[in-house]
Amino acid sequence: MSTVIYPSPIFGPIHSRRLGVSLGINLLPADGKFCTFDCIYCECGYNKDRRPHRPLPTREEVKEALEARLKDMQAHGPIPDVFTFAGNGEPTAHPQFAGIIDDTLELRDRYFPHVKVSVLSNATFVYRPAVFAALEKVDNNILKLDTVNPDYIRLVDRPAGAYDVNRIVEGMKAFQGRVIVQTMFLKGKTDEGVDVDNTSDAFVLPWIKAVKAISPRQVMIYTIDRETPDQSLQKATHEELDRIVSLLREEGVEASASY
């Protein structure tokens, strides 16, 4: 199993399939994974195998490192398209997340005013007022919703602790369209032999109903791109992703697929 742990607090830039030239901001420790999900497809591996020992970077450390990197990029390139909060787990879990967003927007305006700020989140903390307010400020508030099937969520996303998908959908609706829904479609089986194909109508149609209720600005669907901790997972096909995009567009929802 070859999985990825990202440097902290700044990594890249890397080329994102969905976002372009992306400078990563990792608010989690550089030596492990810190997440409220334990997805079987996570490129960072399983939580139990990646327990961090270092502390979270502080707000001051993030700002200092980001400004140093932006000065270097301004002088030597490359020019970024986006700053993306991602990395080794759930970025909104950081207790200073809201303040770090404010700092990032300030530095963005100073060095690269054209750049978008994106957050990739599993939405587990959207009910925290400070997290919600911070996500409203960013250009791309990208929240995960792989399915609305609770059994599938427990099998594939494996949330730590209580997780009510209906409550998450309500939290996404509260953004009143200022949100992008991100969904992973995959096939194959778990290492224990349980089928995880969520490309059929049994999964897709209830999910589309929830997406319509959320009324997002956009839906980004994608499939496996890197090695996964469960070795028997498979990519959804181009045809399957294209079909789901077509179904969304028929319902008036803007959507794109990354293969």
Side-chain angles (χ1 to χ4, degrees), residues 6-183:
Y6 290 93
S8 179
I10 308 299
F11 64 94
I14 62 175
H15 182 77
S16 165
R17 289 180 292 168
R18 287 157 285 169
L19 302 172
V21 179
S22 171
L23 182 67
I25 303 173
N26 176 23
L27 302 186
L28 294 315
D31 66 335
K33 186 182 170 195
F34 189 94
C35 196
T36 51
F37 274 9
D38 194 19
C39 300
I40 64 173
Y41 59 76
C42 181
E43 66 183 9
C44 296
Y46 291 130
N47 293 350
K48 65 181 177 60
D49 299 325
R50 297 290 196 174
R51 298 294 184 194
H53 300 285
R54 299 180 189 174
L56 299 173
T58 66
R59 175 179 177 178
E60 294 72 24
E61 288 170 342
V62 174
K63 184 175 183 179
E64 180 180 339
L66 179 58
E67 183 163 24
R69 189 71 179 96
L70 296 184
K71 287 180 177 178
D72 181 75
M73 294 176 78
Q74 194 175 62
H76 305 107
I79 302 299
D81 297 310
V82 61
F83 303 154
T84 305
F85 284 83
N88 302 337
E90 175 52 39
T92 65
H94 195 293
Q96 296 174 302
F97 174 75
I100 292 170
I101 288 292
D102 287 340
D103 293 341
T104 301
L105 293 171
E106 175 193 334
L107 292 173
R108 183 273 307 272
D109 293 345
R110 187 185 312 168
Y111 292 98
F112 292 104
H114 72 283
V115 165
K116 305 296 185 184
V117 175
S118 299
V119 177
L120 303 182
S121 169
N122 63 25
T124 48
F125 293 130
V126 293
Y127 282 96
R128 292 182 177 178
V131 170
F132 185 91
L135 290 173
E136 284 203 301
K137 295 177 183 179
V138 303
D139 301 287
N140 297 317
N141 168 28
I142 304 173
L143 303 182
K144 173 183 292 294
L145 184 67
D146 285 342
T147 181
V148 293
N149 182 302
D151 292 334
Y152 190 90
I153 291 167
R154 285 191 291 271
L155 175 68
V156 174
D157 293 331
R158 306 199 309 176
Y163 179 90
D164 182 346
V165 68
N166 295 316
R167 189 167 185 256
I168 293 298
V169 169
E170 290 300 313
M172 292 184 181
K173 287 166 64 176
F175 287 103
Q176 299 183 332
R178 297 184 300 276
V179 61
I180 296 171
V181 172
Q182 174 183 254
T183 301

